[in-house]
Amino acid sequence: MMNYVIVDKETCIACGACGCAAPEIFGYDADGTSRVLLDDNQGTTKIPEDSLDDVIDAFEGCPSESIKMSDHPFNGNPLSNESEAS
């Protein structure tokens, strides 16, 4: 099960869809790009079970595919698990 989430800040288009889908997980930087609130967008904290469906909705609805999910921690690198799931 994909338990970790991170936002690729290089590809985020600041559309706000993820914050609508999972406002308890996604917030925004001063430039409007998204970030994961759980761990300051490091992808090292497991997604709480009660938020997982909302995060999956955000992942599936991201128009720029900037939200990355994985079974393994990202350790701050959104491309570290790219071959696993994107």
Side-chain angles (χ1 to χ4, degrees):
M1 175 178 281
M2 293 191 283
N3 293 315
Y4 298 93
V5 64
I6 195 169
V7 175
D8 186 341
K9 311 273 299 152
E10 297 296 316
T11 60
C12 179
I13 60 171
C15 73
C18 58
C20 289
E24 69 283 0
I25 302 297
F26 298 100
Y28 304 99
D29 288 337
D31 63 359
T33 57
S34 179
R35 66 184 180 91
V36 177
L37 298 172
L38 296 173
D39 53 18
D40 199 28
N41 205 52
Q42 294 301 300
T44 56
T45 302
K46 284 190 174 186
I47 302 164
E49 185 68 33
D50 60 345
S51 297
L52 189 56
D53 287 341
D54 292 341
V55 173
I56 291 170
D57 287 345
F59 169 75
E60 292 175 348
C62 181
S64 61
E65 298 182 355
S66 297
I67 298 172
K68 309 296 182 183
M69 292 185 73
S70 175
D71 293 338
H72 307 286
F74 289 93
N75 299 315
N77 180 356
L79 304 179
S80 64
N81 302 327
E82 193 68 17
S83 62
E84 180 182 330
S86 54

